[in-house]
Amino acid sequence: MMSESIELQNVLDTFEDLWSPRIVTQFNDYDVRVAKFGGEYIWHAHEDTDEFFLVVDGTLTIWLRENDEERSVTLPKGAVFVVPKGMEHKPVASDGASILMIEPTGTLTVGDRHEDVPDYIDATTGHRLA
Ligand code: NI
């Protein structure tokens, strides 16, 4: 287990890939991941887990689909939001954003149900830091 402090900005400086989370640290059975978002993600849902977002930099909009209705929440830098398990959601970061996420280790970024995954999206359970 990591026992040194980790500067998020230093981790973010190690990669440019969009929609490709890095695992910063772990606690209990959870990963803390950071990712760079840009443009539109795909609609997806995580059946068995809530998903925690913290906007480290930029602005993140998360579209949510509930009872066939769509709404969005717009999160400025410093805001946190939790997508409840089972809820379809679609992150959008038109101007780019750096995001910290917390979710159970092994959680797939594209969820258990999702639209077709385009080439620019990395379907992953997170990448370990080099
Ligand atoms: Ni998700």
Side-chain angles (χ1 to χ4, degrees):
M1 192 54 63
M2 190 84 70
S3 61
E4 296 93 36
S5 76
I6 302 163
E7 294 290 334
L8 293 179
Q9 192 57 54
N10 291 347
V11 175
L12 288 163
D13 286 345
T14 64
F15 66 98
E16 294 297 331
D17 316 76
L18 299 177
W19 310 115
S20 183
R22 272 33 177 194
I23 299 170
V24 174
T25 191
Q26 296 177 297
F27 66 97
N28 296 324
D29 300 324
Y30 284 79
D31 287 348
V32 177
R33 305 175 183 172
V34 291
K36 292 181 176 176
F37 289 7
E40 296 198 0
Y41 203 64
I42 51 173
W43 283 103
H44 67 284
H46 308 274
E47 301 295 4
D48 299 320
T49 182
D50 301 337
E51 188 167 44
F52 173 97
F53 294 84
L54 161 66
V55 180
V56 175
D57 200 13
T59 301
L60 174 64
T61 297
I62 303 179
W63 283 91
L64 302 164
R65 202 179 268 157
E66 201 173 9
N67 303 323
D68 288 331
E69 298 211 352
E70 293 180 3
R71 69 181 178 100
S72 66
V73 290
T74 296
L75 309 172
K77 177 177 176 174
V80 302
F81 187 77
V82 175
V83 175
K85 65 180 160 188
M87 185 178 287
E88 290 182 48
H89 57 286
K90 173 183 174 146
V92 176
S94 303
D95 296 322
S98 297
I99 306 298
L100 181 144
M101 287 163 289
I102 302 176
E103 46 211 329
T105 298
T107 299
L108 193 58
T109 47
V110 295
D112 309 296
R113 287 186 280 128
H114 55 80
E115 297 181 289
D116 288 344
V117 180
D119 288 342
Y120 69 87
I121 287 177
D122 182 18
T124 177
T125 54
H127 301 281
R128 298 193 171 275
L129 300 180

